[in-house]
Amino acid sequence: MTYQEKLSAIRSQMKADNVQAYIIPSADPHISEYLPDHYKCIPFASGFTGSAGTLVITHDFAGLWTDFRYFEQAAEELENSGFELVKQKIQHAPEYIQWLGTQLEKGAIVASNEKLVSILLGDLLTQQFALKGLILADKDYLSPIWENRPALPAEKAYLIDEKHIGQAVASKLDAVKAELRNKGAHYHLISSLDDMAWLFNIRGNDVSYNPVVLSFALIGQDQATIFIHPDKLNEAETASLLASGVQVKPYETIETALAAIPENSSIFIDPKRNCFAFSKQLPASVKLIKDTNPSTSLKAIKNETELANTRIAMNKDGVAITRFLKWLSENIGKIKITELSAAAQLRKFRAAQDGFVGDSFNTISAYAAHGALPHYGPTPESDVEVKAQGLFLVDSGGQYNYGTTDITRTIPMGNNTGEEKTDYTLVLKGMIDGCKSRFPKGTCGYQIDAITRKPLWDYAINYGHGTGHGVGYFLNVHEGPQVFNPTATPVPIELGMITSIEPGVYRPGKHGVRIENLVNTITDVSNEFNEFYAFESLTIAPISTEIVKTELLEQGQIDWLNSYNALVYERLSPMLEEEEAKWLKTYTKPIYK
């Protein structure tokens, strides 16, 4: 079926059910960011492959609501699909709700598959539609028309030994149960796959880039149950979980278990990370306590084992990055290098490192004007040659069985313009200010965001994405609850949190610049004013100084840059071949005003 034929088939079902609008979110029953092929509904229906968006279909209009990161990509991918691009003004905001309220008459039915809608979104839709006299219905219009739909992944899962992760399952469960008691909850439902992976020390291969396994958990004070396909764990692993107070049941029986929760009990449930359909499976008398999963905050604070192993992963990753930069500098102009071939070469360097499992996200290998697309991913159709001029932005990361990495370097390829040099220096200036911040205990991410943006604001420059996100331990490269962005999210930056710092400048049709390091929150000084924290640079990979305009940097920023590059050489040179170490020595030489 073509996309227009699929759209017609959806509308036929809508008309048969007297449904006036149909919403297709980018989600699965676990409300995941990265989806198994079985739940890639938006690509199936429209051809759009970005990771953020919502399709809305009425009888006479079909649109994709997405944010600025995907405007150009969406315009290309939606051509001749029957869907139009609707440009969101605010990232992640469900602006289509207001639009539907202006398009539909009172009494109209709006449908969606409620297994793909979070409780938070479901509640919002219900409330907002009620104000307009609209009715929300649960319908699945994709399954009947999805021929040869990919099956749910069936690869094996595995347990990580406590000595490699620093905390036993039983200990983690005790911490979660203590929070349940504080909230007055009898039960706790977990659907989010990274929370599942952390809590039960389990990893898998069910989702691209994230080492997670499709599963749910229902936790009570006396018993915890994992709902997972029975073939994913062997007898020894099942017995190990049982010894930790965890029984294993089939994946598809979660809804039956929810329906069997005792009347008049209470359940702790994260409205952002559980599906709306499951909340309706509960008996009517069960009280919902809606709050963030306790495990979300617990796993964000890395223990000493996790931090020590992450430092090892960063060193290994730094070796791969160094070899990539050396290879690029020595081969550009001599052999044909494209965005895709460069990304493949970088992956080869990573794959040569012990413990490498795979990429932590789709590599952003963006040359020249493609660098202005913050989430650009090269395809055979868009792939261009990287030449010995301009800027080459590479945002990439690795999953190692002892840590997760995420790094961006913008590489000067030669003959750079004054504008490119200024933009590069200002982004570097912002990244340095973010990384060298000293801040009092209790500081939140939006404050670090402002510190990082200030050098760009001084030149009336801004960027549309956040400054930083949390990163997991051999887990999701995007992890909460902390985030460095302009939103006043009241989550303090805690000791042991790993977060990215990645400011950028994007000039459409010209170039993009982004430089990113991961940092760990550490103690700094304590005095009569407060306890102050700082950041430890976890990312260990060289930063090019070739086109830096030193006159735009303060001496403290130059000192930080020289110290950082010296640290990179100190850490990585013993792991490199002699010729590689010699090259790195030159690449990381200090700069002066």
Side-chain angles (χ1 to χ4, degrees):
M1 297 175 74
T2 67
Y3 296 121
Q4 293 199 22
E5 288 171 339
K6 293 172 185 176
L7 183 56
S8 177
I10 292 170
R11 283 177 168 149
S12 293
Q13 296 175 83
M14 290 168 59
K15 289 176 182 177
D17 290 338
N18 192 32
V19 167
Q20 281 70 49
Y22 190 59
I23 300 170
I24 305 175
S26 177
D28 61 9
H30 305 272
I31 314 301
S32 305
E33 176 184 11
Y34 292 97
L35 306 174
D37 289 344
H38 182 82
Y39 286 110
K40 291 183 177 177
C41 299
I42 290 179
F44 166 78
S46 70
F48 174 67
T49 60
S51 63
T54 302
L55 298 180
V56 179
I57 301 168
T58 66
H59 293 301
D60 56 8
F61 179 82
L64 167 76
W65 272 253
T66 191
D67 62 63
F68 84 102
R69 297 172 297 170
Y70 300 105
F71 287 168
E72 292 192 35
Q73 176 184 341
E76 292 177 6
E77 293 181 337
L78 294 178
E79 190 172 356
N80 298 319
S81 69
F83 287 86
E84 297 181 23
L85 169 64
V86 182
K87 296 181 177 181
Q88 285 183 201
K89 297 179 178 63
I90 302 174
Q91 194 174 356
H92 303 304
E95 296 170 358
Y96 56 86
I97 297 177
Q98 183 177 0
W99 180 83
L100 284 169
T102 65
Q103 300 296 309
L104 303 179
E105 295 182 1
K106 186 176 181 179
I109 299 173
V110 181
S112 187
N113 182 347
E114 293 182 354
K115 286 188 176 179
L116 311 183
V117 174
S118 70
I119 294 174
L120 184 68
L121 178 56
D123 287 344
L124 181 64
L125 289 170
T126 302
Q127 294 162 8
Q128 293 297 311
F129 287 169
L131 295 175
K132 297 290 185 177
L134 306 179
I135 301 165
L136 182 64
D138 182 18
K139 300 288 184 181
D140 177 7
Y141 291 146
L142 296 187
S143 293
I145 66 171
W146 198 331
E147 298 178 1
N148 302 313
R149 184 173 188 171
L152 290 176
E155 291 189 58
K156 295 286 187 181
Y158 54 95
L159 302 183
I160 301 179
D161 194 286
E162 176 189 340
K163 67 182 180 182
H164 298 306
I165 211 153
Q167 190 177 7
V169 172
S171 172
K172 292 179 177 181
L173 279 170
D174 286 343
V176 169
K177 289 176 181 179
E179 185 62 22
L180 298 188
R181 289 192 293 272
N182 289 339
K183 295 288 187 179
H186 300 106
Y187 296 94
H188 177 36
L189 172 64
I190 302 178
S191 299
S192 42
L193 301 183
D194 55 334
D195 287 296
M196 288 292 303
W198 177 85
L199 183 56
F200 298 102
N201 290 349
I202 188 172
R203 298 294 189 273
N205 301 289
D206 286 355
V207 179
S208 298
Y209 309 119
N210 300 331
V212 295
V213 56
L214 296 183
S215 53
F216 301 99
L218 188 59
I219 300 171
Q221 287 298 332
D222 300 323
Q223 183 69 56
T225 303
I226 286 182
F227 299 86
I228 188 172
H229 193 284
D231 293 339
K232 287 187 175 289
L233 297 173
N234 60 37
E235 289 185 11
E237 290 165 334
T238 301
S240 174
L241 287 170
L242 189 59
S244 299
V246 183
Q247 58 181 332
V248 178
K249 291 188 177 181
Y251 178 76
E252 63 276 5
T253 62
I254 178 61
E255 293 181 69
T256 303
L258 291 173
I261 287 179
E263 298 278 350
N264 300 311
S265 57
S266 58
I267 185 168
F268 188 110
I269 195 163
D270 189 332
K272 293 181 180 179
R273 312 204 72 190
N274 286 281
C275 70
F276 196 43
F278 282 6
S279 68
K280 294 184 174 182
Q281 294 292 327
L282 298 164
S285 64
V286 171
K287 178 185 177 183
L288 271 65
I289 301 173
K290 299 177 183 179
D291 206 345
T292 303
N293 288 332
S295 49
T296 298
S297 297
L298 292 169
K299 71 177 165 57
I301 300 173
K302 309 300 184 282
N303 62 46
E304 287 305 315
T305 298
E306 292 171 324
L307 288 170
N309 287 346
T310 295
R311 293 184 188 104
I312 295 171
M314 295 295 176
N315 289 342
K316 298 281 190 180
D317 210 61
V319 168
I321 293 292
T322 298
R323 288 176 173 158
F324 172 73
L325 293 172
K326 181 176 183 291
W327 170 84
L328 187 65
S329 68
E330 293 174 347
N331 287 283
I332 193 71
K334 298 178 182 177
I335 63 173
K336 184 176 181 180
I337 298 174
T338 71
E339 294 168 328
L340 281 174
S341 68
Q345 186 63 49
L346 175 54
R347 195 182 195 281
K348 286 182 181 178
F349 287 126
R350 277 201 173 99
Q353 303 302 312
D354 293 337
F356 177 77
V357 175
D359 295 334
S360 58
F361 56 95
N362 186 35
T363 296
I364 298 171
S365 178
Y367 176 64
H370 284 164
L373 309 175
H375 276 223
Y376 170 79
T379 65
E381 294 74 27
S382 70
D383 191 27
V384 297
E385 184 177 357
V386 180
K387 299 179 180 179
Q389 63 182 36
L391 297 173
F392 183 27
L393 188 157
V394 181
D395 187 346
S396 66
Q399 291 286 8
Y400 300 82
N401 54 29
Y402 43 82
T404 300
T405 69
D406 179 7
I407 175 176
T408 308
R409 292 293 182 262
T410 300
I411 308 161
M413 301 306 300
N415 298 315
N416 294 101
T417 66
E419 184 178 61
E420 290 171 342
K421 292 177 182 179
T422 297
D423 287 349
Y424 183 92
T425 305
L426 293 178
V427 170
L428 179 58
K429 187 180 176 80
M431 199 277 286
I432 291 172
D433 280 0
C435 289
K436 68 192 286 287
S437 297
R438 169 185 283 167
F439 51 94
K441 179 179 179 179
T443 295
C444 296
Y446 59 89
Q447 295 165 289
I448 302 300
D449 179 85
I451 291 171
T452 306
R453 291 177 192 268
K454 177 65 164 56
L456 295 163
W457 287 348
D458 287 343
Y459 286 76
I461 296 172
N462 198 19
Y463 48 94
H465 57 76
T467 290
H469 54 84
V471 176
Y473 172 73
F474 185 30
L475 258 180
N476 295 7
V477 76
H478 292 153
E479 177 180 281
Q482 83 275 23
V483 63
F484 295 174
N485 69 24
T487 306
T489 304
V491 176
I493 306 166
E494 304 283 359
L495 297 174
M497 283 182 167
I498 297 177
T499 317
S500 69
I501 294 181
E502 47 182 310
V505 168
Y506 309 97
R507 296 191 184 273
K510 292 183 177 181
H511 61 263
V513 180
R514 185 165 64 254
I515 304 173
E516 172 189 17
N517 271 9
L518 301 189
V519 296
N520 168 41
T521 309
I522 59 175
T523 57
D524 189 21
V525 298
S526 183
N527 56 32
E528 66 271 27
F529 299 105
N530 206 330
E531 183 177 350
F532 283 80
Y533 294 164
F535 291 130
E536 167 198 7
S537 292
L538 289 175
T539 301
I540 301 295
I543 297 174
S544 174
T545 58
E546 182 181 344
I547 61 171
V548 170
K549 287 187 170 183
T550 55
E551 67 272 18
L552 299 181
L553 296 181
E554 300 168 10
Q555 188 59 48
Q557 294 161 342
I558 292 175
D559 292 343
W560 185 95
L561 180 58
N562 288 339
S563 295
Y564 175 78
N565 272 339
L567 176 66
V568 168
Y569 179 78
E570 177 188 334
R571 291 267 192 92
L572 299 186
S573 56
M575 305 169 67
L576 298 169
E577 300 294 334
E578 182 178 349
E579 188 63 27
E580 294 168 338
K582 183 178 178 181
W583 180 90
L584 181 60
K585 183 71 171 178
T586 301
Y587 198 87
T588 57
K589 65 184 179 183
I591 60 172
Y592 304 96
K593 270 202 170 187

